[in-house]
């Protein structure tokens, strides 16, 4: 009787050990799967961070280019205003000359009317544009370093 009980106990222990070994193997396989997934996700993260850094550099370059173009535009607008003022002074001088005939004055007035009207209309249009170049994104912390994409 005692031997039979020991045999049953031995069989139960053996089945328990087999179940425990299967659980350990299933856990080991899950760990291996999780390690592979972790490596894959870390690689994706590294690629995404590298791409983000390259895009930040490109954004910095684009902002710099916009700034340069804005300065050029402001200089051109200032030069245009200067030239228009000179034209106005020449026109006023010609209109005040005593030797000019009435016909010359009317032609000059007509030309000046078209010219000054166009200049005023253009001046109104460009003054309404907000070109402050301010953004919600701060670009002071981005460097101008060249990336492989730029090269």
């Amino acid at each position: 009787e005692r031997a039979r009980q020991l045999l049953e106990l031995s069989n139960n222990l053996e089945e328990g050990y087999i179940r425990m070994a299967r659980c350990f193997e299933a856990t080991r396989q899950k760990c291996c799967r999780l390690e592979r997934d972790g490596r894959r996700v870390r690689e994706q993260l590294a690629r995404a961070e590298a791409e983000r850094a390259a895009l930040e550099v490109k954004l910095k370059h684009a902002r710099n280019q916009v700034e340069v173009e804005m300065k050029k535009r402001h200089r051109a607008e200032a030069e245009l205003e200067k030239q228009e003022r000179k034209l106005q002074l020449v026109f006023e001088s010609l209109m005040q000359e005593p030797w000019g005939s009435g016909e010359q004055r009317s032609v000059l007035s007509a030309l000046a009317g078209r010219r000054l009207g166009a200049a005023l209309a253009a001046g109104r249009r460009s003054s309404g544009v907000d070109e402050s170049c301010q953004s919600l994104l701060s670009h002071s912390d981005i460097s101008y370093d060249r990336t492989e994409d730029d090269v």
Side-chain angles (χ1 to χ4, degrees), residues 17-48:
Y17 284 134
I18 291 173
R19 276 193 303 253
M20 189 172 62
R22 286 181 183 153
C23 287
F24 280 141
E25 180 60 21
T27 303
R28 187 190 65 77
Q29 288 177 358
K30 284 181 186 178
C31 286
C32 288
R33 240 189 343 253
L34 289 174
E35 285 177 7
R36 281 192 307 267
D37 290 347
R39 278 192 300 272
R40 183 179 49 81
V41 169
R42 281 190 292 275
E43 289 170 0
Q44 286 176 342
L45 177 63
R47 283 192 300 269

Side-chain angles (χ1 to χ4, degrees), residues 84-99 105 108-109 112 116:
E84 285 177 348
R85 181 64 186 144
K86 283 181 181 179
L87 182 63
Q88 173 118 15
L89 291 173
V90 167
F91 169 73
E92 289 172 1
S93 174
L94 287 174
M95 290 300 283
Q96 293 175 359
E97 288 293 324
W99 52 264
R105 287 185 182 172
L108 282 174
S109 294
L116 293 175

